[in-house]
Amino acid sequence: MKNLFTIDNAAMLLIDHQRGTIKLAVSTPRDEIIRNTRALARTAVEVGMPLVLTSSQEDHFQGLLIDDIQQITPKQYADRIKRPGVVDCWMYEPFKQAVLATGRKKLIMGGLTNDVCIVYPAISAVQDGFEVQVVADAGGSPTRAANDIALDRMARHGVTITSTNQLLAELATDWASERGGPIRSILYQENLKHLVEG
């Protein structure tokens, strides 16, 4: 398969996984969003991928980024881009510059909510010449219809819609490789262990 996203050519962008905003993402179970977000954050940190975090209006309803992100990515959390209210984070110059500084043209986006906080930057980045994958199950929307409409709109604009497990498998490429092994462990610990042992 050509043009794979790999840990050497992609950057991870986690957008607005905030304590208040997660309450709006009812189309995906909260524990699933957290598990998937943990898996994405851990993967970026443990394999050394560029990771950019952003939040919106932390002093309002949205609140701080969820505790899991703060604990997994303390350095990136300290460096997070705090937006004053710009909906499309791609239009907020400090965020865009942080992404450009990674030097990566393949972008992985996950966040809350898919129908507001993800749809716009995903489309904007594609229009600026980037390849974008949105991890749909690392986010959600207030309704199933809103989520479906957002995913369809992104796909129509050239965004690839993926899932956490699918994305991690793509990044790993080979579970038995030196760099694929750690991703396999993260996938099991965060997303499969509860199924196997449940």
Side-chain angles (χ1 to χ4, degrees):
M1 185 172 166
K2 296 180 179 179
N3 300 319
L4 285 173
F5 278 50
T6 72
I7 63 178
D8 295 316
N9 67 19
M12 188 81 70
L13 315 180
L14 297 181
I15 298 167
D16 301 351
H17 283 101
Q18 292 168 255
R19 294 171 179 171
T21 312
I22 197 170
K23 297 174 183 177
L24 302 175
V26 297
S27 65
T28 307
R30 181 188 177 110
D31 61 337
E32 183 177 337
I33 293 172
I34 292 175
R35 281 198 315 270
N36 292 330
T37 302
R38 286 181 54 84
L40 296 176
R42 284 187 59 193
T43 296
V45 170
E46 293 181 30
V47 303
M49 290 176 64
L51 171 61
V52 180
L53 306 178
T54 186
S55 61
S56 177
Q57 295 188 312
E58 291 184 356
D59 57 344
H60 289 67
F61 162 78
Q62 294 93 321
L64 297 174
L65 294 176
I66 59 174
D67 293 344
D68 300 77
I69 288 181
Q70 295 186 41
Q71 293 161 6
I72 294 168
T73 66
K75 180 185 182 305
Q76 293 86 349
Y77 177 73
D79 295 337
R80 70 195 182 280
I81 308 300
K82 294 184 278 188
R83 307 192 318 282
V86 178
V87 174
D88 181 351
C89 59
W90 196 256
M91 294 177 62
Y92 188 60
E93 199 61 24
F95 176 80
K96 187 173 182 179
Q97 289 304 315
V99 176
L100 294 177
T102 70
R104 305 290 173 93
K105 293 293 288 184
K106 296 178 186 285
L107 307 178
I108 300 161
M109 294 186 184
L112 302 167
T113 58
N114 286 335
D115 69 325
V116 173
C117 304
I118 297 300
V119 64
Y120 302 114
I123 292 171
S124 293
V126 167
Q127 290 175 340
D128 276 354
F130 289 79
E131 293 180 62
V132 178
Q133 288 200 50
V134 164
V135 187
D137 58 0
S141 303
T143 66
R144 176 71 65 181
N147 207 60
D148 291 345
I149 291 166
L151 299 182
D152 179 68
R153 181 177 179 183
M154 287 186 280
R156 288 174 182 272
H157 282 83
V159 177
T160 297
I161 307 301
T162 192
S163 66
T164 301
N165 292 358
Q166 187 177 110
L167 186 277
L168 294 186
E170 182 172 347
L171 293 176
T173 306
D174 179 353
W175 298 124
S177 69
E178 181 178 350
R179 294 193 292 181
I183 299 176
R184 180 195 63 222
S185 297
I186 292 167
L187 176 63
Y188 175 73
Q189 292 163 6
E190 299 294 348
N191 281 3
L192 301 180
K193 186 176 181 181
H194 73 286
L195 297 174
V196 174
E197 298 180 353

